[in-house]
Amino acid sequence: MLDHLIFNKLKWFNIADNASFVTANGKKYYAIPTQVTVPKGTILYSMNDSANAFQQKAVVTQDCTCKVGEFILKDQLAWGLNGYGIANFDVYLIKGTVVIENNFTTAAGFVKITDVTNPVWGG
């Protein structure tokens, strides 16, 4: 078995480097980057738990590299100011200082996973 992996230069688990999830035994397992770049113009969201949906919190005015705190899929629970709501799209909870309108900063917020760039995978 090992000689097959070594001589054919295969990985122990044959998963593509750009795979965002794998399916095993009928369950999906998602890869979560440790950090991402949030580009200028990206909308930050907060959870409006009373409306049970994300709402726009602010717009990012400078590119920033932020740590990813959580990955929340559409229809899963996400925390809000006064409780939990149901996510209406897939998001990362980012942690780090983000510059928003009027040169204010914020320490966390939700961003759509499709809006971020340069994911860093692993430690």
Side-chain angles (χ1 to χ4, degrees):
M1 175 70 171
L2 278 176
D3 61 338
H4 174 71
L5 292 173
I6 294 169
F7 294 121
N8 292 317
K9 297 181 181 172
L10 296 176
K11 298 177 185 177
W12 186 260
F13 294 102
N14 200 8
I15 300 169
D17 289 337
N18 63 349
S20 59
F21 69 89
V22 295
T23 303
N25 296 327
K27 295 182 181 180
K28 280 188 177 177
Y29 296 90
Y30 288 86
I32 303 171
T34 55
Q35 72 181 29
V36 293
T37 299
V38 180
K40 177 181 177 178
T42 300
I43 297 173
L44 283 181
Y45 295 90
S46 61
M47 173 53 72
N48 181 342
D49 38 337
S50 59
N52 218 17
F54 287 114
Q55 65 183 18
Q56 183 173 331
K57 174 180 175 180
V59 176
V60 176
T61 58
Q62 293 178 11
D63 289 359
C64 72
T65 301
C66 300
K67 298 215 177 288
V68 175
E70 297 175 24
F71 173 44
I72 301 170
L73 291 171
K74 180 180 179 189
D75 299 327
Q76 289 184 325
L77 288 176
W79 56 267
L81 295 174
N82 300 311
Y84 288 88
I86 305 295
N88 46 331
F89 42 80
D90 298 346
V91 295
Y92 291 135
L93 169 62
I94 57 163
K95 296 184 175 185
T97 303
V98 181
V99 180
I100 56 175
E101 297 104 340
N102 300 318
N103 273 344
F104 289 115
T105 60
T106 185
F110 295 101
V111 293
K112 290 183 179 180
I113 63 169
T114 54
D115 291 345
V116 299
T117 60
N118 305 324
V120 174
W121 304 99

